[in-house]
Amino acid sequence: MLSPDTKGVFAIAPTPFLPDGSLDTASVDRMTDFYWEAGSDGLTILGIMGEAQKLEPEESLQIVRQVIARAGGRPIIVGVSAPGFAAMRRLAGEAMAVGAAAVMIAPPSTMRTDDQIVGYYAQAIAQIGSDIPFVLQDHPQATLVQMTPGVIKRIINDNPSCVMLKHEDWPGLDKITALRDWERDGSLRHVSILCGNGALFLELEMQRGADGAMTGYAFPEMLRDVVDMSLAGDLDAAQDLFDAHLPLLRYEQQPVISLSVRKYVLQKRGAIAHDALRAPGPKLTAPTKADVERLLARLARTDKRAAL
């Protein structure tokens, strides 16, 4: 089970597809092994990067079962966000039954007021059960839902089963600081904070009090090292390594093509057999692939693990 003291790197895993759009089940095992070998502490599956919204319910369950079976007891977080509670309840229950460590829930885009957001989470937890640990996903760029630090504080304090915040607001550094200040004065109970947003601000987020990374950057080894260096207090070394990866990381973060770029790099690294997205989804042009190739070659000069 995930706990409020969880630290480290949880890679956001894509869903591998064959060129015809069907699930690439052979690559699921290959990809899972890749993330362990790169130093990930756990995995998060069926998130936005996992193209969860494009999967049939049985396909989602197939991915959950296969990844957990391959994980060998390592923690797996399953994204269960859904338009309705029936689908969320089923996926959460079946994921936990086969060994998931927690589920992750993002608010639907229809939520506007603070009370609506807080009320939604109360309803969601009543549906899936208060015995299931959950990750509160704060990703306004994708959900269009703005959660203030005060709203997050209410959700955490109202729901003991909330054990982690996935922080993806931008700008959001002051949000981390506010939450940690409330923990110190005793008005907010402690939860783990892992950060997403493609790791674009990871080194700064760690300095503000984050516990690690939960994102899908195609070089999880860098995430591992930056998190470890930051937790050990070696901030200059963490910054230097982060800076070396920043050009590729920035390129990966472009709207619309970000997942296509990430899957292309993961394919080149041998993590998945194909870089296919399930339709609808963009395909990289030849000039864009050439950009990525140049960035990879440049990165390999400073981080030998990037040599392909």
Side-chain angles (χ1 to χ4, degrees), residues 27 211 216:
S27 281
D211 295 300

Side-chain angles (χ1 to χ4, degrees), residues 38-39 63 119 146 152 173 177 180 201 209 246 255 262 271 274 280 298:
I63 294 293
Q146 295 289 336
I152 294 172
L173 294 171
T177 296
R180 291 310 194 205
F201 300 97
L246 185 55
R262 196 165 285 170
H274 309 279
R298 179 182 183 276

Side-chain angles (χ1 to χ4, degrees), residues 16-18 24-32 66 271-274:
F17 294 109
L18 296 171
D24 181 1
T25 54
S27 281
V28 172
D29 287 348
R30 177 177 176 177
M31 173 191 72
T32 304
Q66 187 172 350
I272 54 178
H274 309 279

Side-chain angles (χ1 to χ4, degrees), residues 181-200:
D181 284 346
W182 283 331
E183 286 185 12
R184 280 187 283 271
D185 71 23
S187 62
L188 174 65
R189 67 179 182 84
H190 175 72
V191 297
S192 173
I193 299 178
L194 300 190
C195 298
N197 253 337
L200 201 56

Side-chain angles (χ1 to χ4, degrees), residues 12-13 161:
I12 296 280
S161 56

Side-chain angles (χ1 to χ4, degrees), residues 74-117:
R74 297 178 180 89
I76 305 297
I77 300 171
V78 179
V80 297
S81 303
F85 287 135
M88 180 186 293
R89 183 173 57 246
R90 182 192 177 196
L91 182 55
E94 298 207 25
M96 296 305 294
V98 297
V103 301
M104 184 166 68
I105 304 173
S109 60
T110 53
M111 300 293 102
R112 287 294 175 264
T113 70
D114 292 354
D115 287 344
Q116 285 176 341
I117 300 167

Side-chain angles (χ1 to χ4, degrees), residues 34 217-219 248 252 259-272 275 284 292-293 296 308:
F34 164 83
Y217 180 54
F219 286 90
L248 177 61
E252 261 199 15
L259 180 55
S260 298
V261 173
R262 196 165 285 170
K263 278 193 161 182
Y264 179 67
V265 177
L266 288 171
Q267 179 193 26
K268 290 186 67 65
R269 300 200 69 198
I272 54 178
D275 63 350
L284 299 185
V292 175
E293 299 289 348
L296 288 169
L308 301 178

